[in-house]
Amino acid sequence: MSILPKKNELGFFEIRLESIGGLGANLAGKMLAEAGVLGLGLNGSNFSSYGSEKKGSPVKSFIRFCDNDVEIRAHSPIEQPHVIGVFHEALYKTVDVVSGLMPDGILLVNSIRSFDDIKKDLKLEYGTLAIVDALQIAVEEKTKVNTAMLGALFRICDFLDPESMKNVIRSTFEKKYPHLVEPNIRTFERGYNEVQFKTYETPEDAIGKEFSRPLPLLGYETQEIGGVITAQANSILKDLSGSRQGFLPKFEQEQCINCAACDTVCPDYCFVWEEGEDKRGRKQMFLKGIDYQYCKGCLKCVEACPTAALSELRESIGYAESHWVKQSFPYIVGGIS
């Protein structure tokens, strides 16, 4: 008798993880598949999809499970998952994270916000929503978000054995990083115990979320003749906010001595300056604030700041927008604004 709670027409139970590079979704997918295959004797497969292999870029990890008498012949990305795990809420801006979710599917989100707020943001109508504060757990245990998310996923996928996952954690870390074994097991257990659920009733005639695949802006129909890009190369319009991993710098104007140590270490166009005069009437550049469009939360500025002007802050929805000081770039995309 099958232990899988649901199957699609091919006999698969499918999970899709939505994340950004650096949060460990790729490794989480591998460990999840390994626990199901080695721990329960299921057939399973896992692979990930991402662009440039760097922190902040969107990542998808796919996991398929089926009974041991079923062969896995499908190796395409998962378009209609039974479970979706969202590692970072900033993905809402650029990725349709609930694309293709089954009508009775389960959505897991790393968040501290309310169920109804997340439901509204993602335009969910029915199904089960699960929330876990994976970031706070990871900070307290000095681990990563992925292990806490794995704990929550094991609570959701109750056919999986948590003990098999703990064995996978041990085998993954004990050779190279033995000091991380116990913290990661604690993180996994906290994710398992602290995840919360809310189910929105699913009508009998409910249909799942339509799957959509984003298309490139420049293709064979939309590219300029000869493949020429007419605008000069720049990254001024790039929004790096989606790459933040949960923290950003908080700026306190009254503590700032305008030493520019933060600007020296900042890898992007984050700090906004204006010319003024000091108490003696001498011209000087004064720091106005942070352009959070370009801030990816590396916090190098916090480490460099000699005063308490910059501090580490857990990111909350709307904070960056309300404290955003915009840069002024007169030369943009082929002209002067």
Side-chain angles (χ1 to χ4, degrees):
M1 183 176 178
S2 176
I3 63 171
L4 296 173
K6 302 172 187 175
K7 302 176 189 176
N8 61 17
E9 63 277 5
L10 297 177
F12 301 143
F13 182 88
E14 297 183 324
I15 302 169
R16 187 174 75 222
L17 306 181
E18 302 273 3
S19 182
I20 62 172
L23 295 182
N26 183 29
L27 179 59
K30 290 179 181 178
M31 295 171 70
L32 183 57
E34 186 177 337
V37 172
L38 299 182
L40 297 175
L42 295 168
N43 278 350
S45 68
N46 156 254
F47 64 98
S48 296
S49 171
Y50 44 84
S52 54
E53 194 168 348
K54 63 182 180 182
K55 287 185 177 182
S57 57
V59 174
K60 295 179 186 290
S61 185
F62 308 104
I63 305 99
R64 284 187 172 98
F65 289 119
C66 60
D67 297 323
N68 56 14
D69 59 344
V70 177
E71 292 188 19
I72 298 180
R73 298 180 181 272
H75 302 286
S76 59
I78 292 173
E79 297 184 352
Q80 292 183 302
H82 297 93
V83 176
I84 293 177
V86 181
F87 282 51
H88 197 310
E89 286 190 284
L91 284 165
Y92 300 174
K93 295 181 180 179
T94 55
V95 179
D96 183 5
V97 294
V98 296
S99 175
L101 182 64
M102 293 282 194
D104 57 347
I106 302 175
L107 175 67
L108 170 66
V109 181
N110 169 25
S111 179
I112 57 174
R113 300 167 65 216
S114 71
F115 289 99
D116 292 340
D117 284 345
I118 295 174
K119 177 178 179 288
K120 180 180 178 182
D121 282 351
L122 296 178
K123 297 180 174 60
L124 288 176
E125 298 176 18
Y126 28 71
T128 300
L129 182 57
I131 296 176
V132 64
D133 189 1
L135 177 61
Q136 187 62 37
I137 295 172
V139 169
E140 292 175 0
E141 299 294 345
K142 296 184 172 68
T143 55
K144 280 197 171 186
V145 165
N146 58 348
T147 318
M149 291 292 285
L150 276 172
L153 285 165
F154 265 70
R155 181 77 174 274
I156 291 168
C157 304
D158 54 6
F159 62 91
L160 295 172
D161 179 15
E163 292 304 317
S164 66
M165 187 68 241
K166 293 178 185 178
N167 292 333
V168 171
I169 291 173
R170 291 187 182 95
S171 64
T172 301
F173 292 104
E174 63 186 357
K175 289 185 179 179
K176 286 189 176 181
Y177 311 104
H179 61 288
L180 294 179
V181 172
E182 290 307 317
N184 273 282
I185 288 178
R186 288 197 304 270
T187 301
F188 174 80
E189 290 175 341
R190 287 188 61 182
Y192 185 91
N193 293 321
E194 295 178 23
V195 63
Q196 297 180 331
F197 300 88
K198 185 173 183 178
T199 299
Y200 298 91
E201 186 176 352
T202 305
E204 291 184 4
D205 58 346
I207 58 174
K209 286 282 185 180
E210 183 179 354
F211 178 78
S212 61
R213 182 178 287 109
L215 299 175
L217 296 177
L218 298 178
Y220 74 95
E221 290 183 338
T222 55
Q223 177 62 279
E224 295 285 342
I225 294 175
V228 176
I229 299 177
T230 56
Q232 71 270 28
N234 66 71
S235 59
I236 288 173
L237 300 181
K238 180 69 174 176
D239 186 351
L240 299 179
S241 62
S243 65
R244 290 196 286 266
Q245 297 185 28
F247 295 91
L248 46 68
K250 177 183 178 182
F251 177 55
E252 299 285 352
Q253 180 80 61
E254 58 274 11
Q255 302 290 336
C256 182
I257 59 174
N258 304 295
C259 66
C262 54
D263 205 30
T264 302
V265 299
C266 179
D268 300 292
Y269 300 108
C270 294
F271 292 95
V272 183
W273 298 82
E274 67 177 351
E275 187 177 291
E277 293 183 353
D278 63 13
K279 295 178 180 179
R280 297 182 181 180
R282 297 174 299 186
K283 287 189 176 182
Q284 183 180 332
M285 298 300 291
F286 292 88
L287 182 58
K288 287 178 61 180
I290 301 172
D291 190 337
Y292 285 109
Q293 176 179 348
Y294 306 110
C295 176
K296 57 179 179 282
C298 68
L299 301 180
K300 292 179 180 179
C301 56
V302 175
E303 296 176 11
C305 182
T307 69
L310 290 166
S311 58
E312 179 182 306
L313 179 70
R314 168 106 186 237
E315 186 173 10
S316 58
I317 299 294
Y319 180 87
E321 289 74 13
S322 62
H323 294 79
W324 184 8
V325 179
K326 292 187 178 182
Q327 290 276 17
S328 175
F329 295 114
Y331 296 95
I332 57 171
V333 195
I336 300 177
S337 61

